[in-house]
CSV table of all heavy atoms in Angstrom, one decimal:
chain,number,residue,atom,x,y,z
N,583,GLN,N,18.7,-9.5,-30.8
N,583,GLN,CA,19.1,-9.3,-29.4
N,583,GLN,C,19.4,-7.9,-29.1
N,583,GLN,O,19.1,-7.4,-28.0
N,583,GLN,CB,20.3,-10.2,-29.2
N,583,GLN,CG,20.0,-11.7,-29.2
N,583,GLN,CD,21.3,-12.6,-29.0
N,583,GLN,OE1,22.2,-12.1,-28.4
N,583,GLN,NE2,21.3,-13.8,-29.5
N,584,LEU,N,20.0,-7.2,-30.0
N,584,LEU,CA,20.3,-5.8,-29.8
N,584,LEU,C,19.0,-5.0,-29.7
N,584,LEU,O,18.8,-4.1,-28.9
N,584,LEU,CB,21.2,-5.2,-30.9
N,584,LEU,CG,21.6,-3.7,-30.9
N,584,LEU,CD1,22.5,-3.5,-29.6
N,584,LEU,CD2,22.3,-3.3,-32.1
N,585,ALA,N,18.0,-5.3,-30.6
N,585,ALA,CA,16.8,-4.7,-30.5
N,585,ALA,C,16.0,-4.9,-29.2
N,585,ALA,O,15.2,-4.1,-28.8
N,585,ALA,CB,15.9,-5.1,-31.7
N,586,GLU,N,16.3,-6.0,-28.5
N,586,GLU,CA,15.6,-6.3,-27.3
N,586,GLU,C,16.2,-5.3,-26.2
N,586,GLU,O,15.5,-5.1,-25.2
N,586,GLU,CB,15.9,-7.7,-26.8
N,586,GLU,CG,15.2,-8.7,-27.5
N,586,GLU,CD,15.4,-10.1,-27.0
N,586,GLU,OE1,16.4,-10.3,-26.3
N,586,GLU,OE2,14.5,-11.0,-27.2
N,587,ARG,N,17.3,-4.7,-26.4
N,587,ARG,CA,17.9,-3.8,-25.5
N,587,ARG,C,17.7,-2.3,-25.8
N,587,ARG,O,17.7,-1.5,-24.9
N,587,ARG,CB,19.4,-4.1,-25.3
N,587,ARG,CG,19.6,-5.4,-24.6
N,587,ARG,CD,20.9,-6.1,-25.0
N,587,ARG,NE,21.1,-7.4,-24.2
N,587,ARG,CZ,20.5,-8.5,-24.6
N,587,ARG,NH1,19.8,-8.6,-25.7
N,587,ARG,NH2,20.8,-9.6,-23.9
N,588,VAL,N,17.5,-2.0,-27.1
N,588,VAL,CA,17.3,-0.6,-27.5
N,588,VAL,C,16.8,-0.6,-28.9
N,588,VAL,O,17.0,-1.4,-29.7
N,588,VAL,CB,18.7,0.2,-27.4
N,588,VAL,CG1,19.7,-0.3,-28.5
N,588,VAL,CG2,18.4,1.7,-27.5
N,589,ARG,N,15.9,0.4,-29.2
N,589,ARG,CA,15.4,0.5,-30.5
N,589,ARG,C,16.4,0.8,-31.5
N,589,ARG,O,17.2,1.7,-31.3
N,589,ARG,CB,14.3,1.6,-30.6
N,589,ARG,CG,13.5,1.6,-31.9
N,589,ARG,CD,12.4,2.6,-31.8
N,589,ARG,NE,11.4,2.2,-30.7
N,589,ARG,CZ,10.5,1.3,-30.8
N,589,ARG,NH1,10.3,0.6,-31.8
N,589,ARG,NH2,9.7,1.1,-29.7
N,590,VAL,N,16.5,0.0,-32.6
N,590,VAL,CA,17.5,0.2,-33.7
N,590,VAL,C,16.9,0.3,-35.0
N,590,VAL,O,15.8,-0.1,-35.2
N,590,VAL,CB,18.5,-1.0,-33.6
N,590,VAL,CG1,19.2,-1.1,-32.3
N,590,VAL,CG2,17.8,-2.3,-34.0
N,591,THR,N,17.6,0.9,-35.9
N,591,THR,CA,17.3,0.9,-37.4
N,591,THR,C,18.5,0.4,-38.1
N,591,THR,O,19.6,0.8,-37.8
N,591,THR,CB,17.0,2.4,-37.8
N,591,THR,OG1,15.9,2.9,-37.0
N,591,THR,CG2,16.6,2.4,-39.3
N,592,ALA,N,18.2,-0.6,-39.0
N,592,ALA,CA,19.3,-1.2,-39.8
N,592,ALA,C,19.2,-1.0,-41.2
N,592,ALA,O,18.1,-1.1,-41.8
N,592,ALA,CB,19.4,-2.7,-39.4
N,593,LEU,N,20.3,-0.6,-41.9
N,593,LEU,CA,20.3,-0.5,-43.3
N,593,LEU,C,21.4,-1.3,-43.9
N,593,LEU,O,22.6,-1.1,-43.6
N,593,LEU,CB,20.5,1.0,-43.7
N,593,LEU,CG,19.4,2.0,-43.3
N,593,LEU,CD1,19.7,3.4,-43.6
N,593,LEU,CD2,18.0,1.6,-44.0
N,594,GLU,N,21.1,-2.1,-44.9
N,594,GLU,CA,22.1,-3.0,-45.6
N,594,GLU,C,22.7,-2.2,-46.7
N,594,GLU,O,22.1,-1.5,-47.5
N,594,GLU,CB,21.4,-4.2,-46.1
N,594,GLU,CG,22.4,-5.2,-46.6
N,594,GLU,CD,21.9,-6.6,-47.0
N,594,GLU,OE1,20.7,-6.8,-46.7
N,594,GLU,OE2,22.6,-7.5,-47.4
N,595,GLN,N,24.0,-2.3,-46.8
N,595,GLN,CA,24.9,-1.6,-47.8
N,595,GLN,C,25.1,-2.5,-49.0
N,595,GLN,O,24.8,-3.7,-49.0
N,595,GLN,CB,26.1,-1.2,-47.2
N,595,GLN,CG,26.0,-0.3,-45.9
N,595,GLN,CD,25.2,0.9,-46.1
N,595,GLN,OE1,25.5,1.8,-46.9
N,595,GLN,NE2,24.0,1.0,-45.3
Side-chain angles (χ1 to χ4, degrees):
Q583 294 178 22
L584 182 63
E586 287 184 338
R587 289 154 177 83
V588 66
R589 188 175 302 280
V590 298
T591 303
L593 294 177
E594 188 168 357
Q595 306 303 298

